Amino acid sequence: MSKVSSNTPPQIFPTRSQSNDSQDLLRLSRLQVSEYGFDYVDDLSLEDDDDPTTVGQNNSSKNNDDAGGDNGDHYRLSSLTEERTKNNDDNDVNFKRGEMETIRKVLYETEVIALKRTAEGFNQVNFSLGVLNCFFLSYMLGDAPQHLWLLYLLESLYMIPKKFRNMWRAKPLNEALYYLDFCWCMNFIGIVLLALLLSCEVAGLSVSVEVRKWFFKALLGVSCGVLLSANIALPFVACVFHDVNTMTGLFIHLMPPMVVYTFWWHSDEITASWPKAFNFAYMDEIRYFGGMDSVAGCSTFLYFMWFLFYISFMLLVGINLPRKYEKNSGALANPKYDTVFHSTMRMGVCIPIGTYFRKRKRATSLKLMEENDFDTVDFFIYMMFHMILALGSIYTVGYGCFSNKVFHKVVLGGSVVLAVVRGANRYTYYSTKMYTRALRKEFAGILDQDKHQKGEYSRMD
């Protein structure tokens, strides 16, 4: 009876090296499948391999399936690869469709913006006429100041009705009532007076010297005080050559001070050229301060005439016209008309008035701005500041222009420069930022969703 050496035990089960070939093939196929994103369960875990009993069982069953297992794994891998390729092709098609739809939306939005600007007059003809008109006005002021008033009269007959037509068609609210504002009313008075004086030259009509003198003093203080200061204070007074609306706003604020400049500092030339229309023999009698008969007195009286008229209109009718909801019932009001007061409050004036005078929260003021829901207290605070600024400009800037020709020139020149800078900012916006902002607004939902997803990913990381 021979002994079996204890150093060489009999191999009852297959060794790991004997089963590695078949296991590696199956694991390789499973590894390739997992590379395509499919889940699988590895029955041949390391723990099972380390158990001799399990290894024997696995190898026993595995040897029975070796003949068909390899072909099945390869077939499954091929099927999954084809399915993944098909899904990739479908994703590419869907991506291209979404990309084309996005491009169409971008082109549509840019075309809408372009059409809107074109409808506002943004074209070569209007731009060229606007630039040439500015050059022509500069020439008239420098070389023919005695005729500048006539150019103001003629251009007003085109620009003011043109702007009124646009204001009447404005959306969402009709802006025709803007013409009741102080600057517009003063221009209307000046245009009527100049037309009347022109009829004196052409048709032989006569206007008393006292009437001429009073209105000249009143309009001198208003034009060189309120209107000229408005050029500096109001951000929308800009030189935008193609835009009739904006150019008309510049026209009514800048042209009256320029015309008064020619009347006051070139009166002899104007009298020589238009002897029947203008008689400035009373120039030496005019004083800026000194009672109601002075320039300041006549200007103040004219301002309060408009002040009482405008307050009466607003309290009786105007303050409720743009209101989004009915004051008493709260029902939808369906407003049609806007006013300068409501427009100014919506531009942001409501916030400081609410913060410093009404003790309102910012959110409350923003809601009032959205709904045009301003009360009489807001209106009187607004009118109080309007009065202070208007009268203050008459007694300061107006007096400076009256007493010093150089000061008058400097303020006019500064107003022109400021208007040009504002216009340049507008054109810079048109050429660099307008389309980007419009597209960002249009696709805000997609952009916000993308930011949200990126935020989630960063949190997950």
Side-chain angles (χ1 to χ4, degrees):
M1 184 173 172
S2 62
K3 277 185 183 179
V4 178
S5 174
S6 60
N7 295 329
T8 56
Q11 295 181 358
I12 302 173
F13 302 104
T15 64
R16 181 178 298 275
S17 61
Q18 292 173 333
S19 61
N20 275 346
D21 293 340
S22 58
Q23 290 183 29
D24 289 344
L25 178 62
L26 182 58
R27 290 188 180 187
L28 177 61
S29 65
R30 287 174 175 172
L31 180 61
Q32 290 172 334
V33 171
S34 68
E35 210 175 351
Y36 287 90
F38 298 97
D39 295 329
Y40 67 91
V41 179
D42 190 357
D43 295 330
L44 302 176
S45 61
L46 290 177
E47 291 79 9
D48 293 338
D49 289 343
D50 291 338
D51 188 350
T53 60
T54 308
V55 172
Q57 294 172 0
N58 287 341
N59 282 335
S60 175
S61 61
K62 187 170 181 168
N63 289 333
N64 294 331
D65 296 335
D66 275 346
D70 293 345
N71 292 333
D73 287 336
H74 285 293
Y75 176 77
R76 185 183 178 200
L77 175 61
S78 177
S79 300
L80 292 174
T81 304
E82 291 177 0
E83 183 178 352
R84 181 56 183 254
T85 303
K86 182 180 178 181
N87 291 336
N88 288 340
D89 292 339
D90 292 341
N91 290 337
D92 288 341
V93 172
N94 293 332
F95 176 79
K96 290 179 179 179
R97 287 176 180 173
E99 192 177 46
M100 291 174 63
E101 185 64 25
T102 302
I103 293 173
R104 289 194 186 98
K105 288 182 179 181
V106 170
L107 292 175
Y108 173 77
E109 289 301 320
T110 54
E111 288 173 357
V112 168
I113 297 171
L115 289 173
K116 182 180 178 181
R117 291 289 171 255
T118 303
E120 293 174 354
F122 199 170
N123 56 59
Q124 299 93 325
V125 175
N126 288 340
F127 185 88
S128 301
L129 291 176
V131 174
L132 292 174
N133 183 57
C134 291
F135 282 121
F136 186 56
L137 287 173
S138 301
Y139 164 77
M140 291 293 293
L141 180 62
D143 195 64
Q146 67 273 21
H147 305 307
L148 186 66
W149 69 272
L150 183 59
L151 183 62
Y152 166 68
L153 179 61
L154 294 176
E155 290 195 357
S156 67
L157 296 179
Y158 167 75
M159 299 185 76
I160 292 179
K162 178 72 173 178
K163 181 175 175 64
F164 182 80
R165 180 190 176 197
N166 295 337
M167 293 166 73
W168 185 265
R169 296 178 175 180
K171 300 294 181 182
L173 295 176
N174 185 307
E175 298 174 353
L177 295 177
Y178 286 12
Y179 273 22
L180 299 181
D181 192 50
F182 179 77
C183 297
W184 286 105
C185 289
M186 296 303 104
N187 274 267
F188 295 148
I189 293 174
I191 291 169
V192 170
L193 287 173
L194 289 177
L196 187 60
L197 293 176
L198 180 61
S199 66
C200 294
E201 184 75 26
V202 176
L205 299 178
S206 62
V207 179
S208 67
V209 175
E210 292 301 320
V211 173
R212 291 168 179 257
K213 184 178 179 180
W214 191 92
F215 275 103
F216 177 78
K217 290 185 290 186
L219 293 177
L220 189 155
V222 167
S223 299
C224 295
V226 183
L227 299 184
L228 189 53
S229 299
N231 282 280
I232 301 172
L234 299 178
F236 56 82
V237 178
C239 189
V240 183
F241 300 111
H242 73 275
D243 191 347
V244 175
N245 291 341
T246 305
M247 289 301 288
T248 305
L250 176 64
F251 178 83
I252 67 165
H253 290 97
L254 190 58
M255 278 298 289
M258 293 173 64
V259 171
V260 170
Y261 172 86
T262 62
F263 285 166
W264 185 242
W265 302 110
H266 297 273
S267 57
D268 293 339
E269 300 170 48
I270 294 175
T271 302
S273 300
W274 306 90
K276 295 180 181 179
F278 299 100
N279 181 7
F280 291 130
Y282 49 79
M283 285 293 194
D284 294 337
E285 304 173 5
I286 295 178
R287 299 291 180 269
Y288 202 87
F289 299 112
M292 292 303 297
D293 193 42
S294 64
V295 172
C298 294
S299 302
T300 302
F301 182 80
L302 183 61
Y303 175 81
F304 277 110
M305 287 178 61
W306 170 85
F307 189 84
L308 294 175
F309 157 75
Y310 193 72
I311 284 183
S312 300
F313 164 76
M314 289 296 295
L315 293 180
L316 293 174
V317 180
I319 198 167
N320 293 320
L321 285 179
R323 197 185 297 272
K324 190 174 181 179
Y325 299 100
E326 295 288 350
K327 186 176 181 180
N328 297 325
S329 63
L332 193 65
N334 191 24
K336 295 181 179 180
Y337 296 96
D338 198 8
T339 71
V340 169
F341 161 69
H342 291 84
S343 176
T344 306
M345 293 290 280
R346 290 196 306 271
M347 289 172 63
V349 174
C350 176
I351 295 176
I353 289 180
T355 301
Y356 298 109
F357 295 94
R358 305 296 304 276
K359 304 303 179 183
R360 287 193 301 243
K361 294 182 179 179
R362 180 183 177 87
T364 303
S365 295
L366 291 174
K367 183 180 179 182
L368 295 177
M369 292 163 60
E370 181 183 356
E371 299 177 356
N372 277 320
D373 189 15
F374 310 115
D375 56 21
T376 54
V377 178
D378 291 324
F379 175 66
F380 276 111
I381 294 174
Y382 166 84
M383 291 304 297
M384 177 186 70
F385 278 100
H386 191 287
M387 178 185 66
I388 292 173
L389 294 174
L391 297 182
S393 64
I394 290 174
Y395 283 80
T396 55
V397 180
Y399 177 69
C401 294
F402 172 87
S403 59
N404 191 290
K405 184 178 181 180
V406 175
F407 179 84
H408 201 161
K409 283 183 177 181
V410 169
V411 178
L412 281 174
S415 299
V416 172
V417 171
L418 190 57
V420 171
V421 171
R422 289 168 179 161
N425 291 336
R426 188 84 62 87
Y427 282 113
T428 301
Y429 168 75
Y430 288 157
S431 59
T432 60
K433 298 180 181 179
M434 179 177 65
Y435 291 99
T436 303
R437 289 189 179 182
L439 293 176
R440 285 186 178 276
K441 182 178 180 181
E442 176 65 21
F443 298 102
I446 298 176
L447 295 175
D448 291 342
Q449 183 179 2
D450 183 60
K451 289 180 180 179
H452 180 67
Q453 290 178 348
K454 288 181 178 180
E456 288 183 345
Y457 295 153
S458 62
R459 288 192 296 271
M460 291 173 64
D461 294 336

